[in-house]
C-alpha cells in the first residue's frame, strides 16, 4: 500500500504544493487499499457510494443501463483518475451509474466521513477538493458539448487524441457505446481514416 499511497500523495502535491508533509501524512493515514478483479463493481447504481476511489493501477468504466437494457458507457478511468459519481457521492444520494473494473484494479479509498474530517482538520485540503471537482466538471461539460458540437467521427478523433493509451485497453463495443454510435459505424469510421 505504501507505493500506492505515494502515487496518490504525489498527485495531490502536484495540485497543492503548499501542503506540508505532516498534512499529507495525515491524509495518507485515512486511506484504505482495495483490490478488485476484472468485472468486479466499485459502485453499483442505486446505491450510495461509500468511498472515493483513486485508481493506482488498472482501468474502470462508468455506465448506466438504458430503458432497453443496453449498457451505455459514460467514462473510462485509468491510473491517476478517480472512481466516483461525484455529485451523488457529495450529496450522499444513490448513484445513477455503475463503475466496473475492465482490468484488475487497485484503488486507494477515502470515505466520505474521512474526507469531511480532513477538510475540517486541514482546511488547505479544501483547495484540493475544489480543484478535483472543477476537473470533473470540465470533463463532464466537454463530454456534453462533444455530442452537441461534434460529429461521430470528430468524437472518435478527439478520443484518439486525448485518450490514446486506452485504445488497446477498451473494446470496440465499449468505445462505440461511449461515443454514442453503433459499432458498425465505428468500424466504418476507422476504415475511412485508415485509408486517408
Amino acid at each position: 500500500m505504501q507505493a500506492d499511497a505515494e502515487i496518490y500523495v504525489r498527485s495531490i502535491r502536484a495540485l497543492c504544493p503548499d501542503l506540508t508533509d505532516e498534512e499529507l501524512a495525515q491524509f495518507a493515514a485515512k486511506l484504505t487499499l482495495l483490490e478488485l478483479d476484472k468485472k468486479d463493481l466499485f459502485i453499483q447504481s442505486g446505491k450510495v457510494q461509500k468511498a472515493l476511489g483513486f485508481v493506482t493501477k488498472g482501468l474502470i468504466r462508468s455506465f448506466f443501463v438504458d430503458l432497453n437494457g443496453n449498457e451505455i458507457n459514460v467514462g473510462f478511468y485509468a491510473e491517476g483518475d478517480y472512481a466516483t459519481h461525484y455529485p451523488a457521492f457529495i450529496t450522499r444520494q444513490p448513484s445513477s451509474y455503475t463503475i466496473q473494473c475492465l482490468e484488475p484494479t487497485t484503488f486507494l479509498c477515502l470515505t466520505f466521513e474521512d474526507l469531511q474530517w480532513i477538510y475540517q482538520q486541514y482546511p488547505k485540503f479544501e483547495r484540493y477538493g475544489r480543484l478535483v471537482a472543477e476537473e470533473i466538471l470540465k470533463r463532464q461539460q466537454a463530454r456534453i458539448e462533444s455530442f452537441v458540437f461534434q460529429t461521430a467521427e470528430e468524437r472518435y478523433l478527439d478520443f484518439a487524441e486525448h485518450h490514446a493509451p486506452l485504445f488497446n485497453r477498451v473494446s470496440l463495443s465499449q468505445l462505440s457505446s461511449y461515443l454514442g454510435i453503433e459499432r458498425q459505424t465505428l468500424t466504418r469510421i476507422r476504415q475511412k481514416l485508415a485509408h486517408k
Side-chain angles (χ1 to χ4, degrees), residues 3-20:
D4 293 291
E6 287 174 14
I7 292 168
Y8 195 0
V9 166
R10 274 197 307 273
S11 77
I12 295 171
R13 193 182 292 277
L15 282 177
C16 299
D18 59 329
L19 287 166
T20 67

Side-chain angles (χ1 to χ4, degrees), residues 126-180:
E126 289 187 334
R127 178 173 187 269
Y128 176 70
R130 177 180 57 81
L131 292 172
V132 170
E134 287 174 0
E135 181 60 30
I136 291 168
L137 178 62
K138 285 191 294 189
R139 288 183 188 186
Q140 289 174 339
Q141 190 64 31
R143 179 156 168 75
I144 291 166
E145 289 179 1
S146 74
F147 282 95
V148 174
F149 299 116
Q150 293 180 320
T151 65
E153 183 175 318
E154 289 169 334
R155 286 195 302 277
Y156 173 79
L157 289 170
D158 188 65
F159 187 88
E161 180 182 342
H162 293 101
H163 306 287
L166 297 182
F167 260 100
N168 294 329
R169 297 170 73 181
V170 173
S171 74
L172 285 182
S173 296
Q174 291 164 343
L175 181 57
S176 62
S177 167
Y178 174 78
L179 297 173

